[in-house]
Each structure stands twice: as C-alpha cells, then as structure tokens.
Amino acid sequence: MKVAFAGTPEFAQVALEQLHAAGFAIPLVLTQPDRPAGRGMKLQASPVKQFAVAHGIPVAQPRSLRLDGKYPDDARAAQAALQAAAPDVMVVAAYGLILPGWVLTLPRLGCLNIHASLLPRWRGAAPIHRAIEAGDAETGITIMQMDAGLDTGDMLLVERVPIAPGDTTASLHDRLAALGGRLVVEALELAACGGLRPVPQPAEGVTYAHKIDKAEAEADWTLPAAVIERRIRAFDPFPGVVTHLGDVPLKCWAAELTDGTGAPGTVLAVDERGPVVACGEGALRLTQLQKPGGKRLPAREFLRGHAVEPGMVLERRVA
C-alpha cells in the first residue's frame, strides 16, 4: 500500500515516523512551507519535513491546494506530484491547509485523518487545549474518513485516554501523538484487508475547538480559580497565561487550588511555595512563573529576585 502523508508539527511527525517504521511505502509528503522561527527568524522546516528529508521521502510544500485560489501554481504542482505518486490512501495529521475535493478523491481509499479528540466533541483546530480547559475527564484519538466538512467524516477507529489532573497540553499532546501513530498504522492494516467499519458521527454532542485567541492568554482573575487553573494547563506550552504586576508582564505556567477570598487579582499571601491570588471564586497559588526574557522558574526561585507582597494586585490588560 502506498501512503501519501500530509502534516506539519510534531504531532504529525510522530505519525509519519510510525508509518515509516511499519514499512509502508511513502511516495510523497505534503507539509507547510518553511517559516521564520527563533531569535534570528531564520526559515525553519517543519518537523514533518525534517523527518521526510532525513529519510529520503519526496516533499511538496504548497501554500494552497485550491486550484482556483490565491496560489494556483502551487496547487497545480501539488496535484501533479500527487498524481505521479499515485497513493492508495492519504494520511492527514495537523496539516494546516484545507483539502479540496480533488485531494479527497484522488487516492482510491480516500484520506484518513488523525484527530486528537473523541469526535464529535472538539472538532476543529485546538482539541487538546479545549478538552483540558473544559475540564473533560477523558479525550482520545479518532481515525476519521475525511469528507468535505470540518471533522465531520465517518469514524474508523477510536481509542480513549483519561486526562490526568496535572495534564498540560504538552503532556497530553505527547501521549495522543504516540496513540495516533499506532492507531493509523492499525487502520491502514485493516484497510488493506477490507476490515475497516465506518461509523457515522452522532448528531448530538458536537463542540468546536476554536483556535486560541491572543486575548484568552490574559488571566481573568474574576473567573473561578478552577477555571483559571485549567486554562493555565491548557495553554502550556503555548501561548501561556499572562498577568501584569504593575508594568511587568508575568507568565503563569503552573498553579494549584487553595483557599482564600478577596478582590480578584489581589495577592493574599506569599511564601516559598508561591503567591496566593484571589479569584472570582476561591484562590490560586502560582507555583511556576516567568518574567520577559527569563526562564520558567519555580515560585521559590522566582521570588528570590522579584518582590511580590500581599496587597499587590495582578491585572488583566487586553490590547
């Protein structure tokens, strides 16, 4: 079976690695164009491209796949490359471009998507973040037969994963990436012998995992402490939750629920475990903090170089 692959970040790279290790022929990889990154803003290849190049797999990086879109030359070149590759199936994981109809129908077995949620819950761009933020008890991987809708296709394989109380998007991402790679290999092995059984998604329980908006990164201390604590974990490693102490922005990377009442944002107490901040309901102890240009630090180390005292107020500033 010849498997084309479309993906960009580390989540997708893990799946590509497992497909390669399983011995599938991979005639072509599609990934996003190189982007500026790092302090020098030098062009950097995606994790998927880096793996493909290291293993001699041909790579295409169209800016769009729409033949009638802004970059028709890119789309036509990608179409020619896919037709020449003649894949039996395409595996898609966090690619970042919309697949038009000609892509969905080009492989004889269509396109299979590795989606990091239990569909139909958390369709869309940020399913891992939103599951943690919402306080879901579990999530998982759905291998889905892609159609023209947004994550609306039939489910082929599903496996559940519990969300631990201390999970961040980073920790949950890594478990789901490994699971996604294993499940898509299993799906392709079943497809090869006609063993896949598509199941339509339920009409009930649909939710959308919208992209993280920049304004969401600002801590809103009027919210309940439990909501803010989940958001801190959901926004780790990106974009982080930000608050302001005077003119100094601080990123809050870890917190724990504690007792306390006061005006939201007010520092109620400070000890080596971290400052306790009043919320709209309850309070949070901030246990890991970062100043601009600095490193993430446990509260004990952070407080050695930064004066945070009871009565100070952490503020929310949204541009």
Side-chain angles (χ1 to χ4, degrees), residues 83-282:
Q83 289 172 337
D88 297 294
V89 66
M90 176 183 279
V91 170
V92 182
Y95 178 32
L97 290 183
I98 294 174
L99 302 189
W102 71 262
V103 179
L104 297 175
T105 57
L106 189 150
R108 66 181 181 86
L109 296 175
C111 299
L112 307 189
N113 178 244
I114 306 171
H115 188 75
S117 82
L118 300 172
L119 291 170
R121 186 159 177 78
W122 303 127
R123 294 174 178 173
I128 301 176
H129 303 75
R130 298 307 185 187
I132 293 175
E133 183 185 23
D136 290 1
E138 63 178 2
T139 184
I141 290 289
T142 303
I143 306 298
M144 178 191 69
Q145 185 80 49
M146 296 181 72
D147 61 15
L150 175 62
D151 299 330
T152 55
D154 289 348
M155 300 181 293
L156 304 174
L157 289 177
V158 178
E159 188 162 326
R160 297 173 180 272
V161 171
I163 300 177
D167 263 330
T168 65
T169 288
S171 64
L172 190 54
H173 166 280
D174 291 350
R175 297 208 306 280
L176 291 175
L179 175 58
R182 176 172 66 78
L183 275 191
V184 80
V185 167
E186 182 180 336
L188 293 180
E189 290 171 344
L190 287 170
C193 62
L196 283 177
R197 298 290 180 264
V199 176
Q201 292 186 35
E204 301 79 24
V206 175
T207 57
Y208 288 92
H210 299 287
K211 287 183 179 180
I212 308 300
D213 184 85
K214 185 178 179 181
E216 294 181 82
E218 287 279 344
D220 182 354
W221 299 107
T222 65
L223 295 174
V227 173
I228 301 171
E229 189 273 338
R230 293 198 304 266
R231 187 168 288 185
I232 288 172
R233 290 188 288 112
F235 291 4
D236 180 359
F238 178 84
V241 167
V242 179
T243 191
H244 287 79
L245 182 59
D247 292 329
V248 180
L250 301 177
K251 280 200 174 181
C252 309
W253 290 112
E256 57 189 34
L257 300 175
T258 189
D259 295 327
T261 58
T266 302
V267 178
L268 302 177
V270 181
D271 61 30
E272 64 178 12
R273 295 172 296 169
V276 174
V277 182
C279 304
E281 180 181 309

Side-chain angles (χ1 to χ4, degrees), residues 45-63:
S46 71
V48 162
K49 180 181 178 180
Q50 292 177 39
F51 182 89
V53 170
H55 293 82
I57 303 171
V59 175
Q61 296 178 269
R63 290 167 291 180

